[in-house]
Amino acid sequence: MFKFPFTGKRKSKYAAKIKKAPIGDTEGSLNENKNLNGRFCGRPFDKLEIHANGNMYSCCPGWIDLSLGKVQKTGIRELWNGEAAQKFRESIHDGSFRYCRHKICPSIQNDSLPTIEEAKKTGQFADIIAKRSLVIDNEPTFIDFSHDRSCNLACPSCRVDKILLTEGADYDEKNAIQDHLIKEYFSKPTNRAFEIKVTGSGDPFASKIYREFLFGLNGDDFPNLIVNLQTNGVMFTEKNWQKIHRIHKNLGFILVSCDATSPDTYAPIRKGGDWDLLLQNLKHLGKKRAENQFKHFRLDFVVQESNFHEMPAFVDFAKSMGADVAYFMIVRNWGTWSKADYEEKCIWKKTHPEFDEFMTILRDPRLNDPMVDLGNLTQYRQLAMA
């Protein structure tokens, strides 16, 4: 098990060289880099997430080209205001956004980044913007738990085999990171306002580490904590809903990855899933959302060759389940596919034999519904409608 440095007093060992985050291939994307001068993104100033290898980021590593360093070597507190973190913040202040992957970042592509003036009005960033701060005195207000990749599914776009860590060296490694996060942010009750998300790396209920954390977390000790959950939905049963009863009042958003509207489409994409159980669980969550038991319900759809025909129907599906948003994003390659297999999946590439049909699907009026967020497909619909 790793021995983490729990003090921020020693000199940082983080090297001057900025390490790049892993990237899914976006070659051939029709999305464009954007002029973001005059825009602001708060992620480098308020967010941290730690991944399975211990690398810490201030945004999803899919959207940025920068790692802040490894928590095993340096510790969270030092990395939070370390050299890489300051370089990232500087890139927002100077308007270059040079570490951001413009063509794939949903917030850049759907034009949801606020202007600097709009960001100032929130109060949270007014002083940071005015002083062009690179060192942040406050602790992060968004913490993304992404260090355990355990999941009940083995979706081909994400992994080659199922990953379920319950013991052994890998489990100890991830559990050490979890212990570090708990020591830093959950060791004693607090009124501090902050949010966590569990998880962008696997499933919160399949992971022994996350499951035990969520079942044991007492919201009364953290009255201003918001707990956000990202899941494939199969294990988010009524039974597990009851097991997190002590954080019901802390629940913020719940995101469920579905990627389909029919069992035949679902099965090969969400390998190991259970369509009927998913529907049952979604209906239960939709009911709880209607009762205002949590604040936001989003269903996700990763667009690829095998499911793009169901994009319009997914809007209807999301409505029928009581979701607030139907969210779309392009498929990426995280090293699980060969180049040839990935090319076959990339319906968004102009060279794909079904690209014209994809553009036809994007013209469907249902994709203009206010509940739809096309994320990094926004420009594709604009091109389709031109």
Side-chain angles (χ1 to χ4, degrees), residues 10-253:
R10 63 178 175 82
K11 184 178 180 181
S12 175
K13 293 182 179 179
Y14 183 65
K17 182 179 180 182
I18 302 302
K19 296 181 180 180
K20 292 187 175 182
I23 183 170
D25 176 27
T26 57
E27 182 182 354
S29 170
L30 300 185
N31 288 338
E32 298 176 350
N33 288 339
K34 297 196 175 186
N35 181 359
L36 299 175
N37 191 34
R39 296 280 182 164
F40 185 80
C41 178
R43 295 299 79 154
F45 304 90
D46 65 9
K47 179 180 179 179
L48 74 80
E49 61 179 274
I50 302 172
H51 282 250
N53 57 5
N55 278 343
M56 181 168 139
Y57 302 89
S58 285
C59 185
C60 171
W63 318 143
I64 61 172
D65 200 20
L66 181 67
S67 164
L68 305 186
K70 286 185 178 291
V71 296
Q72 298 98 320
K73 296 180 179 179
T74 310
I76 291 174
R77 290 187 180 275
E78 258 193 325
L79 292 178
W80 176 239
N81 280 312
E83 179 187 359
Q86 292 187 48
K87 286 180 179 290
F88 195 11
R89 292 163 187 161
E90 183 181 39
S91 75
I92 305 301
H93 285 312
D94 65 23
S96 69
F97 287 69
R98 58 185 173 274
Y99 300 112
C100 302
R101 296 184 177 126
H102 290 224
K103 293 184 178 183
I104 198 68
C105 171
S107 297
I108 292 176
Q109 288 300 316
N110 66 13
D111 200 31
S112 62
L113 289 176
T115 65
I116 290 175
E117 293 305 313
E118 288 170 340
K120 283 181 180 178
K121 292 177 182 178
T122 64
Q124 179 185 357
F125 299 115
D127 192 54
I128 288 172
I129 293 172
K131 296 179 180 178
R132 295 176 68 92
S133 301
L134 300 182
V135 174
I136 308 301
D137 294 330
N138 296 331
E139 295 179 328
T141 52
F142 293 89
I143 303 169
D144 193 322
F145 288 62
S146 290
H147 49 280
D148 184 7
R149 298 187 67 218
S150 293
C151 188
N152 51 310
L153 305 187
C155 304
S157 61
C158 179
R159 59 199 66 206
V160 177
D161 298 305
K162 186 179 290 187
I163 301 172
L164 280 174
L165 301 180
T166 57
E167 60 182 7
D170 285 346
Y171 172 80
D172 290 342
E173 176 181 276
K174 290 10 173 205
N175 202 37
I177 295 173
Q178 180 78 1
D179 289 344
H180 192 32
L181 283 166
I182 291 174
K183 185 177 181 70
E184 290 284 359
Y185 303 111
F186 295 93
S187 59
K188 59 183 178 180
T190 179
N191 289 321
R192 186 172 83 90
F194 67 112
E195 298 187 28
I196 63 172
K197 185 182 84 171
V198 188
T199 171
S201 59
D203 188 86
F205 299 103
S207 163
K208 178 182 178 183
I209 291 171
Y210 296 150
R211 186 172 62 242
E212 291 179 350
F213 169 68
L214 292 170
F215 291 172
L217 187 59
N218 188 347
D220 291 338
D221 292 335
F222 306 94
N224 294 313
L225 168 68
I226 296 175
V227 178
N228 304 305
L229 300 174
Q230 183 171 2
T231 172
N232 60 56
V234 176
M235 292 185 67
F236 205 165
T237 60
E238 290 190 45
K239 182 178 180 180
N240 278 334
W241 170 267
Q242 290 303 323
K243 286 187 176 182
I244 60 169
H245 67 95
R246 293 196 295 178
I247 56 170
H248 279 176
K249 61 181 177 296
N250 301 90
L251 291 175
F253 63 72

Side-chain angles (χ1 to χ4, degrees), residues 106 110 112 298 325-329 367 369-378:
N110 66 13
S112 62
R298 191 182 90 184
V325 171
Y327 180 75
F328 297 89
M329 70 200 85
L367 295 176
D369 193 288
M371 81 171 304
V372 171
D373 186 345
L374 284 170
N376 50 33
L377 280 163
T378 300

Side-chain angles (χ1 to χ4, degrees), residues 314-330:
F314 189 69
V315 181
D316 299 330
F317 177 78
K319 286 182 177 180
S320 71
M321 295 297 161
D324 298 285
V325 171
Y327 180 75
F328 297 89
M329 70 200 85
I330 64 173

